[in-house]
Amino acid sequence: MERVASDDTKKELVQNKDSGEVSSNQSKVVYVLGGPGSGKSTQCSKIAKHLGFRHLSAGDLLEAEAESGSNDGKMIREYKKEGKLVPSEIIVKLLQKAMQESQNKNFVIDGFPRNEENLSAAENILKIEPNAVLVFDCSEEEMTRRILSRNQGRVDDKIDTIKKRLNVYSESTLPVINYYSSKGKVRKIDAGRPIEEVFDEIKGVFSELNAGQDLGRKESTSN
Ligand code: ADP
Ligand code: MG
């Protein structure tokens, strides 16, 4: 039997609560990072559907706030038009609210933290220590191709903005990846492959987590 099947695994995790496995019955947080078009939203939807995690997308939360027409929303729209990252306090507020309101306390968070400012807000305000950080590895050519064919009317899916977003991603997210790498939490995912193949690799990482292992903890005990 596959260990990652969500319902069975959840039952098993609850039953194992006295077995001494530290994280098996606690809330889990997995970050998913990757360039625009690398497939974060696609894979996170599958993680939510098949692995029982609540998917929170920084981009979708921002988009919803922008749609609401609030003052924060107007600011968000300006930043996105320029292909820039929105200030951390705005995104943190939205994430905090979504996490508090959620019944499901296992989260897969898509597109956050994307820079050092986000990272310190995650640690100091949200106080999140992720169990794992998935980093989607995909060529710029493939990401551009996917974004241009996504065409869902997003204000930032224009060819001149795409190049900027790819640069912002590689420059600002790298320190975040390095930071979690040094804690042994990063799993690089080859995201240039077909959707199902990428998901198979991801399932492997989640089965490690469901086995009660914090990726970082596993690494540090082997040192
Ligand atoms: P992100 O959230 O990282 O910006 P998306 O999940 O929105 O990326 O994917 C961007 C586009 O690429 C979507 O149209 C999606 O259907 C498509 N896509 C996602 N993953 C793959 C894949 N592995 N192979 C081909 N196309 C993909
Ligand atoms: Mg997305």
Side-chain angles (χ1 to χ4, degrees):
M1 192 195 80
E2 224 180 344
R3 287 213 49 156
V4 290
S6 57
D7 285 349
D8 288 345
T9 306
K10 266 190 282 183
K11 264 183 238 146
E12 186 187 341
L13 292 178
V14 173
Q15 282 159 5
N16 279 356
K17 69 176 184 288
D18 295 319
S19 71
E21 284 179 346
V22 184
S23 59
S24 51
N25 200 34
Q26 287 173 358
S27 154
K28 290 191 186 70
V29 175
V30 174
Y31 288 146
V32 176
L33 302 177
S38 61
K40 299 181 296 298
S41 301
T42 304
Q43 296 297 331
C44 286
S45 302
K46 292 173 78 67
I47 292 166
K49 185 169 174 208
H50 301 287
L51 307 179
F53 276 59
R54 172 78 202 278
H55 173 202
L56 294 178
S57 155
D60 289 353
L61 289 170
L62 289 168
E63 194 67 20
E65 187 67 19
E67 284 297 312
S68 78
S70 67
N71 281 339
D72 278 359
K74 283 176 197 149
M75 217 159 102
I76 291 165
R77 207 159 274 300
E78 287 310 307
Y79 278 95
K80 290 190 96 166
K81 261 189 217 152
E82 306 271 313
K84 290 187 199 154
L85 294 180
V86 172
S88 298
E89 66 220 67
I90 296 183
I91 178 66
V92 159
K93 230 197 294 181
L94 295 173
L95 277 172
Q96 199 158 37
K97 184 161 170 277
M99 291 175 90
Q100 278 162 0
E101 286 172 357
S102 175
Q103 297 284 316
N104 184 345
K105 296 299 176 191
N106 289 332
F107 298 101
V108 57
I109 301 180
D110 156 10
F112 177 91
R114 288 177 46 167
N115 58 15
E116 286 185 290
E117 195 203 357
N118 278 181
L119 175 61
S120 33
E123 297 209 310
N124 301 322
I125 304 172
L126 288 173
K127 307 210 183 298
I128 296 179
E129 182 60 40
N131 300 80
V133 180
L134 307 187
V135 176
F136 283 14
D137 205 15
C138 192
S139 71
E140 295 206 346
E141 292 72 27
E142 175 65 10
M143 290 192 275
T144 306
R145 195 185 62 72
R146 290 182 190 174
I147 293 171
L148 290 176
S149 58
R150 176 165 62 186
N151 195 20
Q152 290 168 346
R154 285 177 47 161
V155 292
D156 54 350
D157 279 356
K158 304 277 188 297
I159 189 74
D160 50 335
T161 324
I162 293 171
K163 188 72 202 154
K164 254 190 239 169
R165 287 163 66 204
L166 288 170
N167 289 339
V168 168
Y169 170 73
S170 52
E171 281 166 26
S172 39
T173 312
L174 199 62
V176 177
I177 296 171
N178 288 341
Y179 175 73
Y180 287 120
S181 232
S182 73
K183 297 181 135 199
K185 298 211 168 162
V186 169
R187 287 294 180 272
K188 267 226 164 84
I189 305 291
D190 176 2
R193 294 169 302 160
I195 292 173
E196 288 307 322
E197 286 181 30
V198 177
F199 188 55
D200 278 345
E201 190 178 343
I202 290 174
K203 281 195 286 192
V205 177
F206 276 78
S207 66
E208 280 182 69
L209 292 177
N210 281 337
Q213 293 167 345
D214 179 307
L215 297 185
R217 189 175 300 127
K218 185 184 162 212
E219 188 138 308
S220 61
T221 52
S222 66
N223 279 341

